[in-house]
Structure formats: C-alpha cells, structure tokens
Amino acid sequence: MEKVIIIRYAEIHLKGKNRGWFERVFVVNMEKSLKGLKHEIRRHSGRYLIENFEESETENILERLKKVFGIHSYSVALKVCADMDAIFKAAQAVCGMEGKFKVNTHRADKRFPLNSMQISAEIGGRLLDCNGNIKVDVHNPDFIIDIDLRENGTALVFNEFFKGAGGMPVGTSGKGMLLISGGIDSPVAGHMIAKRGMSIDCVHFHSYPYTNMQAREKVIELTKRLSSYTCGAKLNIVSVTHIQEEIHKKCNGDYMVTLLRRFMMRIAEKIAIDSGAQCLITGESLAQVASQTVEGMTSSNSVLKTLTVLRPLCGFDKDEIIERSRAIGTYETSIEPYEDCCTVFLPKHPVTRPKLSDVIAEEEKLDVNVLVDEALKTLETLIL
Amino acid sequence: MIYLDNAATSKPLMQCVENAEKYLLREYYNPSALYAEGYNLHLELKEARRKILSFIADESNFSLTFTSGGTEADNQAIFCGGKRGNIVTTLGEHSAVFSSAEELKQRGTEVRFANLNSDGSVNTEHLLSLIDDKTSLVSVIHVNNETGAINDIFKISEKVKNKNKYALFHSDGVQAFGKIAFKLTKNIDLYSVSAHKIGGLKGCGALIKRKNLVIKPFIFGGGQEQGLRSGTENVFAIKCFGDASENAYERINESYEKVKRLNDVLRSLLDRDIFKILSYEEASPYILAVSAIGLRGETILHEADDNGLIIGTGAACSSNAKKRFSRVVLACGADEKTADGVLRLSFSSENTMSEIKTAAEILNNIVKNRLNIMA
C-alpha cells in the first residue's frame, strides 16, 4: 500500500491539438514547485500521480501544490493492486471511525470481474461488518470513500478532495509586466492574471531619498511571495525621484500623480518590451483613489505605444481585494508602514478627471524622453 | 564615514573586542554554576555590578539588577512599580516608558501624562498637579532622547515625595548615564541604564533600585539576579558594560567639555535660515535636535548617508503622518512642519572638530539643495 497524490487538472482538458503543450508546461510548473523534494510525477490517463515521495513530506508537498495554477483538485490516495482484499484494506485505512458514509467506485478497467456498483456494495458491506459505529447513507454521507480502478491493474483509494488553485498553468498565456507598488492591490492583481496562465515580471518605482530601503525590501518580499505562484519572477526597480522633482518644479502640482503615472507606464512598457512581456498589469481599482478614475486610466493608457494594460481589480471593492490579499499571503507584508513613491509631493487637491489635452499641455513643460531615458539608467533587475 | 547618531548606539570600546575572545572562547561558563570556573565568573559579575553602581550611587543604599537593556529595565519599573491607583509620567518619555504606560492603561490602570516645556523638559508644575494620594509610580526621563533636555530629577523627585511619599519615583537614565555627572539621591527609587550608549554592547542594561524597595520581577525563571531578573547573565556583555562605564566615568568631565565644544560649533555652523535649532543651550551637549522646516527628516537622513554622514531623525519612519512626526517635538509645542523635519545629531567624545565642520557643510548643502527642488 503506497501513498500517492492524485492531481486533476482544471481547464486543460478543454484544449484541442495544443493540449500536449499545456500539459508539458503544467508538469514543468509542478516540478519547479516541488524542487528539492523527492518525488516522481507520472501521467495517468487524464490526471497525474505524484509517487515515491517521503511520507513525512506529504503536508509540505500539498502546501506547495496549493500554489500551482492549473490544478483543479488533488487527493492523497492509497495505491494498491486491483484486488478486493487489498482494496478493502486501503478502504479501511481511509475510513472514518464513525458516521454515515458511502463508497463511490470508478472502474476504468472494464476487465475487472465486478462492476462499480458491486465493488461499492462489497467494500461497504465489509466495512460495516468491521465497525458498528458507521452506517451507509448514500444521500447525505459524512464521508465518501472513493475507489478508482485504473487500467494498469492498480486501484486508488481516497476519501478527500482538496480544491486546487484552478486557472491555467503559468507560462501558457504569455508574459506580463506588473507595476508593483508595495501596497495591497498590485500583488493581488498579479496573482489574478498569473492564475490565467500568464508569467509575471514586476517593475517597482521608488523615490529614494524620499522613500527608504525598507520600502524596497517590502517590495522584494512581496515579489518573492508572488513568485511562489508564478514559478519565479524578475523584479525591475527604477528611480523616479528626478521625474517627480521635475514635475514638482515645472508643472501644476495637482497633476503630479497623473503625470507620474504616465511616466511609469512609458518606463514599464520599455522594460516590458525588452524582457519579452506582452502587456502591463496594474492593481488599479475603479474610483478607489483620486488617480484611479476612468479619465486617469485613459490618460495613462494614451502614452503606450504597443502594449495593452490589464487591470483585473477594476470591479473589486477594497475589502474584496484585502480578502484575496490575505488568502494569497501578501497582506501582512503589504500593510507594513513604509511609504511608496506615490505619496511624495502629494498634491492637496489632485486632478481626478484629467482632460487629456490639459495633461498633455502640462507634460509639454517637461523633456519627457530625456527623463524616461535617465530613469531607465537607474534600472536594477533582481531575479527572485 | 562621520557618525553623529551616538544617541542611537555607540561604537563599542576596543576592550570589548579583547573581552570577546576571553568570554566567548575560554570563560564561557554559567556564572550560577557551582564549580570554580562558574563561581569565578560570578565574582566578575559582582565586581562589574559594584563598579557600575559606584559611579552614580552610594552602594550601601542602592542595588543593581542586570537586564537585557534599557527597554527591559523601563518595562520592569513601569509594570512592576505601577500596579495600583494611577501612574504619572510625561509626554517626553522614550517609547520604552511611553508604550509601557499605554499598555498599562489598556490593562486598566489610570495613566496621566504631564505636559512638556518648549525645550522638551517636563512641566514640573503640571506633573505635580497630576499626583495624588493614589499615585503609585511617577516616571520622568532624565535626559530626553530627542531634544537632550535635562530634567532635574533630583528636585522633581523631592517635590513628588513631598506630595505623596508612597509614590515610587523612576527615571529613564539611558541618555544620562556615563555622559553627565550626577549621584542618585534617596528620593529616586528606580533608575534605568543601558550599556550600548556608552561604548558597551547591545542587549545589556540595568535597573538600579533603592535597596529597601521591594518590587516584583518582570521575568521569572531560575532566580538569577537575586530573583529580580531570571535568565543566565550575559557575562561578556556585562563585563563590557563595566569597562565602558569605567572608561566613561574616568573622563566624564573632559568628554562633556569636548562634546559641548563640538555641539556649540555645529550649532553655530548650521545655517539658521534653513535650520531651526530645537535643543536649548542648557540641554545635554550629547544631543542636538534641529529641524529643516519644510522638509522631511528622513529624506535628509538618506542624502546625508549617501554623502558620508550618519545622523538620526526624531522618530522612526512611517507612512502614517501622525506617527511620522516626532511625538516629543509635537509635545514641545512645535507645529507639524517643524516636527516633520526633525534631525537628531548626537555626539561622542570620539568625534572630531573637523568631522563636525564637514557635517555642517554637508547638512547645509543638502538642505539648501533640497529646499530649492521642493520650492
């Protein structure tokens, strides 16, 4: 009787001729997430089995699998040879001590002499004989014992389904550049897009000496957390101090955030294109703060030459974002009290509905290309 | 690198490095052990205890308990001294006392905070007005850690005792010990000191207590330090504390005079058009608080660091505006703009006049430049 983990994938089965590619990426991602732990991953008719791992590492493996996108559900099972006595022993091992239960059998091996109903009845009956504290209830069971008879003469017996992270394997939907600030929203936005199969790299803007090294450490930590879902991520760090100083000096201060965001978009687009990313991702949520209005978004979109912007949080309330942030484990880091660059030179009355023509008029007071090139010279890239 | 953040921590004495080899590689025994090797260390602790105490108190009237630092000593004083009725402290306390008092408040004890004068010293009249029959503890910082203002704890404690002779009087002496000359008087019941502000190591301090006073321990366990502070003593750090105290007190007046000159020169060289000097002339010369009004202290701290000058700010950085401003400077009556630009320059006798001149130049340049950018 061997302990194995059954992995069922999410949407990949809907894919057509390119399904093989999706599956290969999926396996590579699982391998990356289990790096350093002894295991073998085998494909097993429409699902995967993780075998030959140390039993003491089971929890650790399950914890890591939780973060692999593309997994619909997984179960810890006992693998035995397809023999009624062996199946019964396995069923006994996973059976609860009391309560109502039912046995579900899935018989892929049609050569097996009993059909699935007969197997369920036989195993259920034997379990009842051994334990007076359990009874059968096929409509409202407290627990279900699943028996999966495979074509290769083995049977998998288990009693639990864990929900996987869902989505598509990271790397199957291209690559995006996430603008990460250090706040609550951007890591959640990155996580949501990664869930749909996109690889994520990040770009962070700082305003040293107006912001500090702790703020930078915080963003590194957030990117690391995010990278545990995305099988690694690069973090690009760029200083926008001089840009902010120039805006402060030459432009109407109320446009500080609007103009700064346009610069961020330009810089992010350049870095994205250089690193092979096909879109930008931001954590903006409609109407959350002064700059996150549709006019503000139009203003920042209009500087982009080729890339599109994904804003997955646009329809979310703050408390919904916080809930997701807690679930993915970035919240505690996000709320550390270090300032990010957006709060430096913050105007008292920021423009909330900037007219594009006014923004462009303000921006004309600056030497945009020189400032962007200068900022790009401060680029530092960390692989996390 | 010019180091002007000595009130945060000081460079350890060379003797500490020499002690390290002895106590970490050879004399690593437990000082409570019964064999000779342990007992010998116990004697060394006893000698360090005697020595440190002798510099500021009459050993027949005071005892000393080693702790993990000034913060623990303050916590023990507040939590073990302020059990009933109300406690009275000041708005100018270090967070080790201030936050402990706030916690005590959360736990149901009434806590009263006395206002400050504009220099950061406590308003004694207001402090006394807060004391009544039910006051169990009064805590007043000796030298304010942000402005350097000196509270005359000897006079204040006398007045406190005249008002309520049963109230315990505690003082946080972390920025006073080894820097200004004084002797503890009978009205002072508890006094906290720290090693690393005077050339000792971090993680070591002491609570000095009037001998007849009975207080409860803050940390329980094996009963070390006469049962007042359980946990195996850090012999190495304590030995360094003894050496650092000896070094400080051997030349306390000489160091004071030297630092006073450094402080005076820096005051005179800082451009008064851009800096507001917050520390009064009468303050401890070891601390000089100034404000670059209109700028954020932390911004200047980073730029100074990039230019080879290490300084402190009034309070820890925070994006929360209320927390960002120095609590103490606000309590002195300064506006938020002043409180936001606070820099704390703090000296040791190792600083040189040429360092001070360079520091003034760096600070003047940075602030002028930054003000131009921000204008």
Side-chain angles (χ1 to χ4, degrees):
Chain A
M1 203 159 19
E2 184 199 350
K3 210 179 221 185
V4 298
I5 297 168
I6 307 168
I7 309 279
R8 303 171 196 89
Y9 48 56
E11 289 173 40
I12 303 175
H13 63 272
L14 300 174
K15 301 295 166 194
K17 285 181 184 162
N18 54 1
R19 177 168 156 175
W21 175 68
F22 281 93
E23 289 185 337
R24 279 195 295 282
V25 177
F26 183 49
V27 173
V28 168
N29 290 353
M30 280 197 287
E31 290 287 6
K32 277 187 190 165
S33 101
L34 297 180
K35 201 174 165 188
L37 297 175
K38 185 188 160 215
H39 69 278
E40 273 174 47
I41 299 178
R42 294 222 176 97
R43 195 167 188 286
H44 214 278
S45 47
R47 68 199 67 193
Y48 291 89
L49 280 191
I50 300 181
E51 299 175 289
N52 292 328
F53 54 85
E54 302 286 347
E55 275 206 38
S56 58
E57 294 286 359
T58 312
E59 283 304 314
N60 193 1
I61 292 175
L62 295 180
E63 205 50 42
R64 294 195 194 187
L65 290 175
K66 263 189 203 169
K67 295 183 172 180
V68 178
F69 292 123
I71 296 181
H72 175 265
S73 67
Y74 51 93
S75 300
V76 180
L78 294 172
K79 184 173 145 189
V80 292
C81 57
D83 162 88
M84 285 305 277
D85 287 336
I87 293 170
F88 168 65
K89 277 189 186 157
Q92 214 175 10
V94 301
C95 182
M97 296 304 288
E98 54 183 15
K100 298 174 286 183
F101 78 105
K102 78 182 244 191
V103 179
N104 251 351
T105 304
H106 177 255
R107 188 182 61 138
D109 184 359
K110 302 297 179 199
R111 296 165 305 174
F112 198 77
L114 304 178
N115 68 26
S116 46
M117 294 295 281
Q118 289 166 328
I119 298 168
S120 294
E122 166 81 20
I123 297 295
R126 287 209 216 174
L127 288 170
L128 282 174
D129 290 344
C130 294
N131 185 349
N133 295 328
I134 54 173
K135 60 180 185 181
V136 172
D137 184 341
V138 293
H139 299 295
N140 288 305
D142 297 324
F143 57 93
I144 300 171
I145 295 172
D146 281 282
I147 299 169
D148 193 356
L149 278 161
R150 308 310 309 167
E151 295 89 338
N152 62 357
T154 61
L156 302 168
V157 182
F158 54 94
N159 68 346
E160 267 182 314
F161 275 83
F162 299 104
K163 199 173 179 321
M168 296 297 294
V170 167
T172 57
S173 302
K175 181 154 124 181
M177 183 64 67
L178 171 70
L179 281 76
I180 189 165
S181 65
I184 295 167
D185 304 349
S186 40
V188 175
H191 178 267
M192 285 178 75
I193 296 298
K195 186 180 174 193
R196 296 307 304 157
M198 187 168 267
S199 301
I200 304 280
D201 276 353
C202 302
V203 56
H204 171 67
F205 299 99
H206 71 85
S207 307
Y208 184 86
Y210 299 99
T211 58
N212 56 32
M213 298 303 278
Q214 283 87 341
R216 173 194 157 102
E217 274 308 305
K218 176 179 162 183
V219 173
I220 293 175
E221 183 55 38
L222 285 174
T223 310
K224 271 188 194 161
R225 302 242 164 149
L226 190 59
S227 76
S228 66
Y229 292 92
T230 59
C231 307
K234 275 187 198 163
L235 172 62
N236 299 286
I237 302 175
V238 180
S239 167
V240 286
T241 309
H242 191 222
I243 294 175
Q244 282 180 286
E245 287 171 352
E246 285 293 294
I247 298 173
H248 179 75
K249 207 186 313 179
K250 297 178 178 161
C251 308
N252 177 348
D254 293 347
Y255 284 84
M256 170 60 78
V257 181
T258 310
L259 292 174
L260 180 62
R261 289 202 76 87
R262 285 165 63 88
F263 275 98
M264 289 177 175
M265 288 298 204
R266 288 187 181 98
I267 296 166
E269 185 180 40
K270 288 206 175 197
I271 299 172
I273 290 170
D274 283 350
S275 61
Q278 296 121 324
C279 69
L280 303 183
I281 305 158
T282 75
E284 286 161 300
S285 163
L286 192 61
Q288 191 188 93
V289 293
S291 65
Q292 295 177 8
T293 56
V294 71
E295 291 88 347
M297 293 177 199
T298 306
S299 150
S300 31
N301 277 7
S302 70
V303 299
L304 295 178
K305 294 201 171 95
T306 54
L307 300 192
T308 188
V309 187
L310 303 181
R311 295 183 170 92
L313 301 184
C314 259
F316 283 86
D317 292 346
K318 191 73 184 183
D319 51 359
E320 291 169 312
I321 300 171
I322 289 174
E323 199 179 309
R324 281 174 183 254
S325 167
R326 285 188 199 275
I328 64 172
T330 53
Y331 182 74
E332 294 303 324
T333 307
S334 288
I335 58 167
E336 284 173 13
Y338 303 113
E339 210 144 24
D340 74 50
C341 63
C342 294
T343 58
V344 179
F345 301 106
L346 203 60
K348 279 212 173 99
H349 305 290
V351 178
T352 52
R353 299 179 182 284
K355 259 196 211 162
L356 199 51
S357 55
D358 294 345
V359 176
I360 290 168
E362 279 304 317
E363 202 171 64
E364 273 169 3
K365 298 173 187 168
L366 303 166
D367 199 336
V368 173
N369 292 335
V370 171
L371 287 172
V372 168
D373 288 345
E374 236 175 50
L376 281 167
K377 280 186 194 146
T378 68
L379 171 67
E380 191 190 341
T381 304
L382 309 175
I383 297 169
L384 301 170
Chain B
M1 193 58 90
I2 301 170
Y3 185 62
L4 290 188
D5 198 22
N6 291 279
T9 194
S10 61
K11 182 179 167 188
L13 288 188
M14 198 54 203
Q15 253 166 298
C16 299
V17 181
E18 287 155 14
N19 287 337
E21 203 189 350
K22 177 182 170 193
Y23 292 99
L24 300 183
L25 293 179
R26 297 196 301 278
E27 308 283 327
Y28 47 77
Y29 309 101
N30 189 321
S32 301
L34 299 177
Y35 34 80
E37 289 79 357
Y39 181 70
N40 289 340
L41 290 182
H42 164 77
L43 294 180
E44 291 203 27
L45 284 188
K46 200 173 162 188
E47 175 53 18
R49 192 188 313 275
R50 189 203 59 74
K51 201 195 284 180
I52 296 166
L53 196 53
S54 72
F55 298 123
I56 57 164
D58 174 357
E59 296 153 69
S60 56
N61 292 330
F62 286 90
S63 63
L64 182 150
T65 305
F66 288 114
T67 64
S68 69
T71 295
E72 189 192 312
D74 284 343
N75 271 258
Q76 181 161 10
I78 302 296
F79 286 106
C80 304
K83 283 284 175 185
R84 58 190 165 74
N86 62 66
I87 78 159
V88 177
T89 183
T90 80
L91 290 171
E93 296 302 306
H94 183 273
S95 310
V97 167
F98 195 81
S99 303
S100 300
E102 297 250 273
E103 175 57 26
L104 213 53
K105 198 166 150 189
Q106 290 285 323
R107 296 183 190 181
T109 304
E110 188 189 344
V111 180
R112 300 168 181 179
F113 292 99
N115 294 337
L116 301 186
N117 298 318
S118 55
D119 66 341
S121 63
V122 63
N123 179 331
T124 311
E125 271 176 31
H126 186 230
L127 178 92
L128 291 171
S129 73
L130 297 176
I131 296 168
D132 58 25
D133 293 350
K134 289 186 176 157
T135 303
S136 59
L137 176 82
V138 178
S139 182
V140 177
I141 193 165
H142 194 173
V143 171
N144 183 285
N145 58 299
E146 291 193 36
T147 67
I150 301 174
N151 285 310
D152 187 345
I153 55 168
F154 310 104
K155 272 193 189 156
I156 296 173
S157 61
E158 195 182 337
K159 288 179 181 167
V160 166
K161 294 285 178 175
N162 284 340
K163 190 137 193 216
N164 177 348
K165 65 177 177 178
Y166 298 111
L168 296 185
F169 189 89
H170 164 256
S171 182
D172 174 339
V174 169
Q175 298 294 348
F177 181 78
K179 296 180 177 180
I180 58 174
F182 64 91
K183 284 278 178 191
L184 294 181
T185 56
K186 64 176 174 39
N187 291 322
I188 304 209
D189 299 293
L190 295 159
Y191 193 82
S192 311
V193 295
S194 170
H196 75 107
K197 310 287 189 188
I198 56 159
L201 301 180
K202 292 154 195 74
C204 185
L207 181 63
I208 295 166
K209 176 181 82 66
R210 191 168 49 73
K211 245 183 186 163
N212 298 332
L213 175 68
V214 178
I215 59 163
K216 282 222 160 199
F218 182 61
I219 289 175
F220 293 85
Q224 289 88 345
E225 298 292 298
Q226 300 88 47
L228 268 179
R229 202 288 182 181
S230 289
T232 304
E233 289 96 341
N234 183 347
V235 182
F236 167 42
I238 290 172
K239 182 72 173 69
C240 294
F241 190 10
D243 292 344
S245 307
E246 193 166 26
N247 178 65
Y249 278 95
E250 265 174 3
R251 61 199 78 194
I252 191 155
N253 293 329
E254 185 192 325
S255 302
Y256 185 93
E257 290 307 323
K258 181 180 176 190
V259 166
K260 178 96 181 80
R261 282 194 299 277
L262 299 176
N263 184 313
D264 288 344
V265 169
L266 190 51
R267 272 173 195 263
S268 67
L269 291 178
L270 287 177
D271 187 340
R272 297 297 174 98
D273 291 338
I274 50 179
F275 284 106
K276 182 176 176 189
I277 308 285
L278 303 175
S279 298
Y280 282 27
E281 296 275 355
E282 305 75 32
S284 162
Y286 284 87
I287 294 174
L288 175 61
V290 302
S291 175
I293 297 170
L295 297 179
R296 218 177 262 183
E298 196 196 327
T299 308
I300 304 162
L301 174 147
H302 291 313
E303 268 199 287
D305 195 10
D306 294 341
N307 283 281
L309 170 64
I310 299 176
I311 55 172
T313 52
C317 53
S318 170
S319 61
N320 180 329
K322 286 225 166 82
K323 284 188 191 162
R324 197 177 76 218
F325 302 138
S326 156
R327 160 175 55 83
V328 172
V329 174
L330 285 179
C332 295
D335 54 19
E336 289 190 345
K337 234 178 166 185
T338 307
D340 203 11
V342 172
L343 301 176
R344 183 182 69 175
L345 312 163
S346 52
F347 312 90
S348 92
S349 58
E350 287 202 9
N351 288 124
T352 64
M353 198 54 89
S354 84
E355 283 181 337
I356 296 304
K357 287 175 183 165
T358 313
E361 206 178 306
I362 293 172
L363 288 172
N364 284 335
N365 287 340
I366 290 173
V367 173
K368 254 181 228 158
N369 178 39
R370 198 51 56 195
L371 281 171
N372 276 338
I373 292 168
M374 304 284 286

